[in-house]
């Protein structure tokens, strides 16, 4: 069903999740930048056109740290440690925090992990292919990135169910998103207690891993505070798997719904990097940017923005704008790489992009090799999408093989 311009569009309804790109197309015909009502009655500006989305992400007047504009309303104690991580702070802190771990994420460093990532994907694929029917989200897409990020950081992946629970609390809309509900508070306290114990143990017994590097930076004193250390580890665990899980699952769903594209890929695995790029654009795992606030009042794209206004970018809408690519609603894995916004833009551009690409390429290639006859095990319209203000991801993706 196509929305009519007289009805307000609920960006978070089940109906919207089923076919967001049809709705976004309609919205983009009406506006590129508009005020919307978020769940819990919070008003926000939202960017829908590609050029507006890109401009918001690059404009340093849209800041990440709410305390700059609401110094009396948000206290330090109310904030989750993850709010002290690079994604939620502005320069100069942002540069210092990002600089500390950037070296660990260069394309060259990451490409060295390829063999290990292939082996992890293979192990998962061989395990599930014994079954005739399985949930691609839980049983394949989820374990791969969590094992990889745990190995990178040097933490036991045997606790991955706990990470999944805590990460979901952070990104899902079931909670209030601001860390105020008791479930979120409790979960975050547990997450923090877990990290405290882990960091305490690693201090006594440092190793050659990212966590030990970060602990050394914290021990140097002026480079990383203890709260920032917790924040960055939380961010890497959450950002390192919530997103990539959905790139693998959303990507496989798109391929399974387009048998011609799937056949192309099976015939020529050289197309995999290009295909992943198109899948990132076509069904972006991160639907919305994280929150930004206007640092001052100013005119932006013909709208009067007031100091403290809340601004979000619909990355998914921008990626389906005709200004970006021709026939944006068509999946075409042979397309030339587009400057899509799935990894954001500007100073907060995704630090993990090379890792995410490598994981998705490996996961999709290995799955198609091991389960060449993989097919959907449910009607696409029956699939449930998660309620999140950040992620576009499926609750489950039943598939069949054999
Ligand atoms: C498909 C997978 C991924 C997608 C689509 C994705 C997307 C994004 C986006 C859109 C942003 C910017 C958000 C904004 O500006 O509001 C971002 C930032 C970030 N991502 Fe990713 N991400 C993915 C995987 C990863 C991985 C695997 C890691 C690390 C292990 C990671 C770490 C980060 C970090 C640290 C930032 C903050 C960068 C900064 O503030 O300077 N991401 N990501």
């Amino acid at each position: 069903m196509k929305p009519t311009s007289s009805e307000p569009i609920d960006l978070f309804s089940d109906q919207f999740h089923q076919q967001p790109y049809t709705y976004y197309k309609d919205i983009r015909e009406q506006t590129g930048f508009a005020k919307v009502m978020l769940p819990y009655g919070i008003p926000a500006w939202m960017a829908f056109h590609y050029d507006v989305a890109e401009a918001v992400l690059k404009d340093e007047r849209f800041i990440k740290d709410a305390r700059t504009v609401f110094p009396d309303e948000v206290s330090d104690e109310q904030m989750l440690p993850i709010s002290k991580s690079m994604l939620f702070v502005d320069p100069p802190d942002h540069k210092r925090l990002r600089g500390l771990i950037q070296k660990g994420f260069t394309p060259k460093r990451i490409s060295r992990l390829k063999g290990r990532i292939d082996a992890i994907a293979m192990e998962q694929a061989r395990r599930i292919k014994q079954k005739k029917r399985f949930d691609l989200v839980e049983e394949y897409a989820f374990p791969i990135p969590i094992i990889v990020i745990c190995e990178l950081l040097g933490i036991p992946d045997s606790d991955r169910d706990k990470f999944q629970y805590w990460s979901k609390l952070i990104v899902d809309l079931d909670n209030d998103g601001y860390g105020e509900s008791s479930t979120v508070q409790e979960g975050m306290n547990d997450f923090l207690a877990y990290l405290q114990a882990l960091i305490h143990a690693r201090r006594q017994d440092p190793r050659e891993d990212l966590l030990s590097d970060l602990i050394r930076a914290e021990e140097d004193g002026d480079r990383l505070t203890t709260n920032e250390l917790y924040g960055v580890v939380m961010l890497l665990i959450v950002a390192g798997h919530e997103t990539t899980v959905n790139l693998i699952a959303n990507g496989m769903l798109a391929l399974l719904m387009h048998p011609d594209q799937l056949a192309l890929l099976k015939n020529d695995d050289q197309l995999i990097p290009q295909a992943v790029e198109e899948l990132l654009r076509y069904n972006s795992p991160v639907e919305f940017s994280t929150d930004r606030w206007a640092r001052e009042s100013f005119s932006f794209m013909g709208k009067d923005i007031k100091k403290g206004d809340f601004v979000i970018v619909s990355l998914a809408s921008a990626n389906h704008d005709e200004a970006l690519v021709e026939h944006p609603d068509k999946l075409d894995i042979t397309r030339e790489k587009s400057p899509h916004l799935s990894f954001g833009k500007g100073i907060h551009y995704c630090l993990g992009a090379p890792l995410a690409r490598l994981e998705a390429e490996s996961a999709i290639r290995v799955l198609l090799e091991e389960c060449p006859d993989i097919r959907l095990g449910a009607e696409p319209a029956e699939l449930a999408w998660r309620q999140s203000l950040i992620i576009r991801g499926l609750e489950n993706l039943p598939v069949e093989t054999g």
Side-chain angles (χ1 to χ4, degrees):
M1 188 194 78
K2 208 169 175 320
T4 62
S5 33
S6 57
E7 294 168 15
I9 296 172
D10 178 358
L11 295 174
F12 305 96
S13 66
D14 287 341
Q15 209 178 11
F16 184 86
H17 287 312
Q18 287 301 335
Q19 42 169 335
Y21 306 111
T22 316
Y23 283 92
Y24 278 135
K25 186 167 191 288
D26 194 69
I27 297 173
R28 280 194 310 274
E29 278 164 15
Q30 297 164 38
T31 178
F33 190 48
K35 269 248 165 102
V36 297
M37 198 57 88
L38 300 179
Y40 309 104
I42 302 166
W45 288 102
M46 193 173 279
F48 296 101
H49 282 178
Y50 181 82
D51 60 338
V52 185
E54 192 187 25
V56 169
L57 296 174
K58 284 165 73 175
D59 196 320
E60 293 197 5
R61 290 170 298 184
F62 294 121
I63 56 166
K64 304 298 308 274
D65 190 343
R67 288 169 300 178
T68 310
V69 277
F70 303 114
D72 302 330
E73 285 173 41
V74 193
S75 73
D76 237 30
E77 297 73 50
Q78 273 175 312
M79 304 198 72
L80 303 172
I82 197 167
S83 324
K84 313 260 190 237
S85 68
M86 74 190 89
L87 185 53
F88 302 100
V89 299
D90 301 294
D93 285 342
H94 173 264
K95 192 169 175 207
R96 172 176 56 87
L97 294 175
R98 187 167 168 126
L100 279 172
I101 57 169
Q102 202 154 20
K103 282 201 295 289
F105 284 87
T106 58
K108 205 168 151 197
R109 266 266 188 124
I110 295 301
S111 66
R112 285 195 215 129
L113 297 174
K114 187 174 180 314
R116 181 66 196 126
I117 294 174
D118 283 347
I120 294 169
M122 186 66 82
E123 193 185 317
Q124 300 306 316
R126 297 215 163 130
R127 186 177 49 77
I128 49 168
K129 83 181 216 195
Q130 312 302 332
K131 305 184 180 184
K132 287 230 163 353
R133 194 179 159 88
F134 60 91
D135 175 7
L136 195 137
V137 174
E138 281 297 315
E139 297 178 73
Y140 187 68
F142 171 65
I144 298 171
I146 195 78
I147 296 173
V148 173
I149 193 67
C150 285
E151 286 193 4
L152 242 172
L153 276 163
I155 58 184
D157 75 87
S158 50
D159 291 324
R160 63 196 191 200
D161 290 345
K162 290 187 200 152
F163 300 143
Q164 184 178 28
Y165 173 71
W166 294 324
S167 303
K168 277 194 164 167
L169 278 186
I170 294 179
V171 303
D172 278 3
L173 202 73
D174 305 287
N175 57 64
D176 63 4
Y178 289 85
E180 283 160 11
S181 80
S182 57
T183 324
V184 178
Q185 279 302 345
E186 236 170 74
M188 288 306 100
N189 289 341
D190 292 348
F191 196 176
L192 198 57
Y194 175 90
L195 290 181
Q196 279 165 339
L198 181 75
I199 287 168
H200 176 76
R202 192 56 46 88
R203 265 193 225 289
Q204 318 300 315
D205 177 22
R207 296 184 201 162
E208 286 304 306
D209 54 36
L210 192 53
L211 185 59
S212 305
D213 288 351
L214 291 168
I215 292 172
R216 271 190 285 274
E218 183 245 359
E219 285 170 347
D220 274 0
D222 56 359
R223 292 202 290 156
L224 192 67
T225 67
T226 308
N227 265 338
E228 287 169 345
L229 171 63
Y230 295 133
V232 68
V233 177
M234 277 186 174
L235 176 66
L236 289 176
I237 294 174
V238 176
H241 83 279
E242 280 290 340
T243 49
T244 315
V245 171
N246 297 308
L247 173 55
I248 299 168
N250 294 1
M252 278 308 300
L253 172 65
L255 289 170
L256 293 170
M257 287 174 69
H258 293 84
D260 60 324
Q261 300 295 302
L262 183 60
L264 268 178
L265 197 55
K266 280 193 207 161
N267 284 337
D268 180 5
D269 76 355
Q270 300 292 315
L271 281 173
I272 294 260
Q274 237 170 307
V276 165
E277 228 42 53
E278 172 69 345
L279 294 168
L280 273 159
R281 182 198 71 79
Y282 181 79
N283 208 358
S284 177
V286 178
E287 182 162 358
F288 302 104
S289 71
T290 52
D291 313 342
R292 282 165 171 74
W293 280 268
R295 187 182 59 196
E296 61 206 50
S297 297
F298 61 105
S299 172
F300 180 81
M301 299 280 168
K303 311 277 184 196
D304 282 333
I305 306 293
K306 301 269 178 300
K307 180 177 177 180
D309 276 0
F310 188 20
V311 186
I312 296 184
V313 170
S314 170
L315 304 169
S317 173
N319 285 343
H320 280 249
D321 191 336
E322 276 171 9
L324 174 65
V325 288
E326 269 180 31
H327 310 298
D329 294 338
K330 186 171 172 232
L331 178 72
D332 177 1
I333 62 163
T334 64
R335 228 186 250 285
E336 249 179 56
K337 185 174 170 181
S338 66
H340 61 71
L341 295 183
S342 297
F343 289 123
K345 190 96 184 187
I347 62 168
H348 294 283
Y349 180 81
C350 178
L351 189 83
L355 178 61
R357 286 185 166 115
L358 195 62
E359 288 178 341
E361 286 170 20
S362 172
I364 293 176
R365 186 171 29 74
V366 168
L367 188 64
L368 295 182
E369 277 165 17
E370 292 297 312
C371 307
D373 63 347
I374 187 165
R375 52 199 181 270
L376 279 176
E379 287 300 319
E382 290 168 3
L383 300 172
W385 293 89
R386 278 169 61 184
Q387 286 289 351
S388 167
L389 252 177
I390 303 175
I391 295 291
R392 173 162 174 77
L394 292 160
E395 293 282 358
N396 306 100
L397 178 56
V399 290
E400 291 171 355
T401 183

